């Protein structure tokens, strides 16, 4: 069994302690690749990576074409480190010496299947629960995981916030790991006795083949709204990519049909969920307490009902919970376990309350796209007795079109909006704030609150807290669970939760 994983950052992704080596000729057949050096078809492969610095003896190195360099430029380094074979395209094959090469016109598309073969097809030994959509992937995954643990299952979790393997935690670098890392991780989970894995499936993961070779017990869809239009040319392409999770790779498909996109995924066997229209699973009798906790009754097929208590506020979290319930019941999970899991679930950075005994509500949320900002602020507005004070920034090197939209949505829903920095990355922070301010200030004066600009995020949070009075709600949005802020290529330690906690403590001394 692998060593304890807790606290390790997956810079060198975990691998199983044992694999059954596979002949390179078998791998060529698996992915229909042309094998050079047929006299070396017997060479045995025991691992896969697409990073030369992570190669171990016996590995196959995946040399993928890139926008700036070709992975085959690092093949010599990979061979030096012990790679015994290379997967690449025809251009890359010309650069490889000394080892057999599997040549395929689209090596990225087959990398997942190849890695799954090397690591023993681990998803066939697990129940993998895949959740896709723009918002709600993390929360729904945590809900599924919590209920499965309440049912006595040994779970894994893969997503934006963290990766967990049978209770041990790793930090997440990508929402969905690259294909070889994902297959190795699933194999580690099998070794650790994991029975079920709740996994966020991003559009990048689907488009770039990261979940190739994964069989899903359940595929679930939350919703779709504007995001990642720096990666997708338009919303239709974004949707088509998300729809790939529903191409038959999941044995059961569960779809939220609120909104315009979900209904397009519905087939005869699809399990549907809705809070605004008829569906297989619906919710009634939704009540919200003064602290934001919710209760509702879920109604499912064959007259099944479930009374749910949920600590997470917002109508969207009723939809997320309903989606989780439908997924869980589709696989026969006990109603009592589902009830307990939803009651106890906690999601870092998602409508996360910071309570230092202050007389106003303070919330940290990961909302970093226009629709998510609107939903989060509508949720807190519904229970606020005072003003809504929002701190919000936008990330650099990402979809630029959403910046003015996020400023607009926040300005319409806030009594005070503090525009600040998020992760500027390589961009000028002031130009990002200017785009947000343009959208915010375009809202007519009588339809928005006060808008101020404080570039330094810590100072912006302190300013928002200094304005808060009894009954107000302070929302710090955009970064959620993140523990760093990337500025000019350097990641500085920064936590919205810690900064908000410090600001409240400082203001109440």
């Amino acid at each position: 069994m692998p060593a304890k994983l807790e606290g390790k950052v997956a810079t060198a992704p975990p691998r199983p302690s044992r694999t059954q080596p596979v002949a390179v000729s078998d791998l060529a057949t698996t992915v229909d690749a042309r094998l050079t050096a047929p006299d070396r078809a017997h060479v045995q492969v025991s691992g896969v990576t697409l990073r030369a610095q992570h190669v171990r003896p016996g590995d196959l190195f995946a040399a993928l074409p890139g926008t700036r360099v070709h992975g085959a430029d690092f093949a010599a380094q990979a061979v030096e480190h012990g790679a015994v074979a290379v997967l690449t395209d025809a251009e890359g094959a010309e650069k490889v010496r000394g080892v057999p090469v599997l040549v395929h016109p689209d090596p990225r598309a087959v990398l997942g299947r190849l890695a799954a073969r090397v690591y023993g097809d681990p998803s066939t030994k697990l129940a993998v629960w895949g959740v896709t959509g723009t918002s709600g992937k993390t929360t729904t995954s945590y809900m599924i995981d919590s209920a499965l643990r309440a049912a006595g299952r040994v779970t894994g979790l893969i997503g934006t916030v963290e990766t967990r393997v049978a209770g041990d935690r790793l930090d997440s670098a990508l929402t969905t790991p690259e294909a070889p890392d994902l297959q190795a991780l699933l194999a580690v989970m099998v070794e650790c006795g994991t029975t079920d894995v709740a996994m966020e499936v991003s559009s990048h993961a689907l488009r770039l083949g990261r979940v190739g070779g994964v069989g899903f017990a359940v595929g679930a869809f939350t919703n779709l709204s504007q995001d990642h239009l720096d990666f997708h040319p338009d919303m239709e392409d974004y949707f088509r990519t998300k729809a790939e999770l529903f191409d038959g790779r999941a044995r059961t498909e569960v779809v939220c049909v609120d909104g315009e996109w979900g209904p397009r995924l519905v087939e005869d066997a699809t399990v549907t969920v809705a809070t605004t229209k008829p569906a297989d699973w619906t919710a009634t009798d939704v009540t919200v307490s003064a602290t934001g906790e919710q209760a509702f009754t879920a109604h499912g097929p064959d007259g099944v009902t479930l009374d749910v208590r949920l600590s997470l506020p917002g109508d969207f979290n009723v939809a997320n919970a309903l989606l989780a319930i439908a997924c869980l019941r589709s696989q026969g999970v006990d109603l009592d376990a589902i009830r307990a899991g939803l009651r106890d679930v906690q999601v870092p950075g998602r409508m996360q309350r910071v309570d230092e005994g202050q007389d106003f509500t303070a919330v940290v949320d990961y909302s970093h796209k226009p629709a998510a900002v609107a939903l989060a602020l509508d949720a807190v507005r519904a229970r606020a007795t005072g003003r809504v004070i929002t701190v919000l920034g936008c990330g650099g090197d990402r979809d630029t079109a959403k910046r003015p939209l996020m400023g607009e949505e926040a300005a319409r829903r806030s009594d005070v909006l503090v525009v600040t920095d998020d992760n500027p990355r390589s961009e000028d922070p002031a130009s990002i704030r200017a785009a947000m301010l343009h959208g915010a200030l375009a809202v007519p004066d009588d339809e928005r609150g006060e808008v101020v600009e404080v570039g330094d995020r810590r100072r912006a949070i302190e300013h928002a807290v200094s304005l808060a009075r009894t009954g107000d709600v302070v929302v710090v949005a955009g970064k959620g669970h993140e523990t760093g802020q990337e500025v000019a290529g350097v990641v500085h330690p920064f936590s919205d939760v810690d900064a908000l906690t410090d600001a409240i403590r400082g203001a109440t001394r």
Side-chain angles (χ1 to χ4, degrees), residues 241-498:
T241 304
K242 291 287 192 186
E244 291 176 19
L245 184 59
F246 304 91
D247 63 4
R249 69 183 78 193
R251 294 195 300 273
T252 301
E253 298 177 355
V254 185
V255 173
C256 180
V257 295
D258 290 326
E260 63 178 299
W261 300 99
R264 293 174 57 180
L265 296 172
V266 175
E267 303 288 348
D268 289 344
T270 305
V271 180
T272 58
V273 168
T275 60
T276 61
K277 61 181 75 168
D280 295 325
W281 284 91
T282 57
T284 62
D285 306 317
V286 179
T287 60
V288 184
S289 73
T291 59
E293 290 153 339
Q294 302 187 91
F296 67 92
T297 300
H299 301 267
D302 302 320
V304 172
T305 62
L306 179 66
D307 292 328
V308 178
R309 292 193 175 278
L310 192 64
S311 62
L312 303 172
D315 292 346
F316 54 94
N317 277 322
V318 173
N320 291 335
L322 203 58
L323 184 65
I325 292 167
C327 290
L328 292 157
R329 285 301 294 165
S330 77
Q331 305 303 300
V333 178
D334 183 74
L335 288 172
D336 288 339
I338 296 172
R339 184 185 295 109
L342 293 178
R343 180 194 64 219
D344 297 338
V345 69
Q346 298 293 325
V347 189
R350 270 62 176 180
M351 300 301 283
Q352 181 177 349
R353 292 188 64 188
V354 175
D355 189 352
E356 293 294 318
Q358 76 276 8
D359 58 359
F360 59 90
T361 300
V363 175
V364 169
D365 191 63
Y366 190 53
S367 46
H368 58 284
K369 58 211 76 166
V373 169
L375 286 170
L377 295 181
D378 285 344
V380 300
R381 171 68 70 187
R383 71 176 193 274
T385 58
R387 301 170 301 163
V388 174
I389 304 168
T390 306
V391 178
L392 180 67
C394 284
D397 302 335
R398 298 293 188 269
D399 181 2
T400 59
K402 71 180 182 182
R403 295 171 186 172
L405 299 177
M406 286 176 65
E408 176 188 348
E409 297 288 8
R412 286 188 184 279
R413 291 166 169 81
S414 305
D415 296 286
V416 181
L417 169 62
V418 185
V419 173
T420 189
D421 295 340
D422 190 287
N423 294 306
R425 300 185 176 90
S426 70
E427 288 193 62
D428 172 25
S431 68
I432 299 173
R433 296 195 303 271
M436 292 184 65
L437 288 164
H438 178 76
L441 296 175
V443 178
D445 291 352
D446 61 347
E447 296 178 20
R448 63 170 166 82
E450 178 186 358
V451 178
V452 297
E453 179 182 9
V454 180
D456 181 276
R457 192 171 182 90
R458 188 176 298 277
R459 286 184 53 218
I461 293 170
E462 291 169 351
H463 179 67
V465 168
S466 75
L467 299 176
R469 301 292 179 261
T470 302
D472 289 350
V473 182
V474 174
V475 181
V476 180
K479 288 173 60 58
H481 63 280
E482 293 176 1
T483 55
Q485 183 178 34
E486 185 176 345
V487 183
V490 178
V491 178
H492 304 271
F494 191 92
S495 160
D496 278 355
V497 172
D498 290 348

Side-chain angles (χ1 to χ4, degrees), residues 54 60 65 70-71 89 108 136 163 238 251 300 321 334 386 395 400 428 445-446 449 464:
H54 292 164
L60 177 142
H70 198 295
D89 59 7
R108 180 177 282 282
T163 295
Y238 183 30
R251 294 195 300 273
D334 183 74
T400 59
D428 172 25
D445 291 352
D446 61 347

